[in-house]
Amino acid sequence: MKLSKILAVLVVLGLVCGLAALAIKLVAGAVSVISGLLNTLIALALIAALVLIVIWMFRYASKHK
């Protein structure tokens, strides 16, 4: 094989590896964003539940003095 063919194969192989790495990083980033969103929603639900429990406790205490 000529040097130019070997160089072309190496360049194409490098581009394919680079594109594969980019695709993997994009998928990992998307999963990270979705995971962060899910954690945020769970935290908001937990805070809302705690606020409702505190409100219920004060209403219950005021009715049963």
Side-chain angles (χ1 to χ4, degrees), residues 36-50:
L37 179 63
L38 182 62
N39 285 339
T40 301
L41 291 176
I42 290 172
L44 289 174
L46 181 65
I47 291 168
L50 290 173

Side-chain angles (χ1 to χ4, degrees), residues 41-62:
L41 291 176
I42 290 172
L44 289 174
L46 181 65
I47 291 168
L50 290 173
V51 167
L52 289 174
I53 289 171
V54 169
I55 290 170
W56 174 79
M57 283 176 17
F58 278 108
R59 284 187 180 172
Y60 182 82
S62 68

Side-chain angles (χ1 to χ4, degrees), residues 3 6-7 11-12 14 16 21-22 25-27 29 33 35 39-45 48-51 55 57 65:
L3 183 61
I6 293 173
L7 186 60
V11 167
V12 169
V16 169
L22 179 64
K25 286 185 184 240
L26 286 174
V27 169
V33 167
S35 175
N39 285 339
T40 301
L41 291 176
I42 290 172
L44 289 174
L50 290 173
V51 167
I55 290 170
M57 283 176 17
K65 278 189 176 181

